[in-house]
Amino acid sequence: MEPLQALSLFIYLCVILAGPVALLLLVIFKRRVGRAYDGAVVASSEEILEELDREFTPLRWTTIRTQTEYLPFLFECIRENIDSGFEDPQMLSLLERIDTHRPHNERSARFTVVSGGQRSNLHLRWVRDSCNRILLRIQAAPPVIRALREHRKRIPRAVTGAAF
């Protein structure tokens, strides 16, 4: 056999065998990947609950009625109970937004904060009346809401009003 014919025969054989060999390797690879994926370590129910608690922080609501001049103290109470996420520029911007919007319109703001090592949202909705009284609804992590409820008890009754 001539060398050129032997080379062409070799190329034909390689092309014919490459398809089945590739298919066989694909099947073997898929089985190994499938076993590795299905053979993952089974987590205990405690580990699953810990992961859920870490990833999905429960949120609570509270409503506070106050005058606009008491808002910085209220926001400072929030900042004392979070680790990060509601810094001075954000607080000042929020105070300015609340102070400048028209009465009887509902507005809202949302901040991502870290409280107790867990990320959560701080969601604020407010309505302002013509006498500068604010009805503020706050959704946050339970420690923040507990602190705000305690802070609400220290707000003078004459300030809260009953306009809402």
Side-chain angles (χ1 to χ4, degrees):
M1 191 184 279
E2 285 185 32
L4 194 54
Q5 277 184 328
L7 181 62
S8 66
L9 182 63
F10 175 74
I11 291 175
Y12 286 133
L13 287 176
C14 286
V15 169
I16 291 172
L17 293 177
V21 169
L23 187 61
L24 179 68
L25 289 175
L26 181 67
V27 169
I28 292 171
F29 179 72
K30 282 181 82 173
R31 283 187 183 173
R32 283 191 171 224
V33 169
R35 270 191 241 135
Y37 182 74
D38 292 337
V41 177
V42 177
S44 68
S45 59
E46 291 85 21
E47 291 172 335
I48 293 171
L49 289 174
E50 286 176 11
E51 184 176 347
L52 286 172
D53 284 341
R54 188 174 56 249
E55 295 299 323
F56 300 103
T57 305
L59 298 176
R60 304 281 189 262
W61 282 95
T62 192
T63 302
I64 298 175
R65 291 175 175 86
T66 187
Q67 293 281 345
T68 55
E69 60 262 12
Y70 286 92
L71 287 176
F73 303 110
L74 183 73
F75 293 155
E76 192 60 38
C77 177
I78 292 172
R79 288 178 48 173
E80 289 172 358
N81 289 285
I82 60 173
D83 300 332
S84 67
F86 190 55
E87 308 300 332
D88 282 336
Q90 295 164 327
M91 185 178 81
L92 293 173
S93 173
L94 182 61
L95 285 170
E96 183 179 329
R97 279 185 63 196
I98 291 173
D99 213 25
T100 60
H101 93 268
R102 290 183 279 171
H104 306 294
N105 289 337
E106 184 170 324
R107 302 278 188 215
S108 65
R110 181 175 300 208
F111 301 96
T112 301
V113 297
V114 177
S115 176
Q118 293 181 327
R119 287 182 56 173
S120 67
N121 286 327
L122 172 66
H123 188 201
L124 306 161
R125 292 187 329 185
W126 66 91
V127 176
R128 184 177 132 183
D129 70 358
S130 56
C131 297
N132 283 336
R133 290 179 294 213
I134 301 291
L135 173 66
L136 183 64
R137 292 181 185 94
I138 303 169
Q139 181 184 19
V144 175
I145 296 299
R146 279 192 296 274
L148 287 172
R149 287 181 180 156
E150 287 297 316
H151 183 78
R152 180 174 56 189
K153 293 176 185 176
R154 293 189 302 254
I155 296 174
R157 297 274 180 223
V159 171
T160 58
F164 299 102

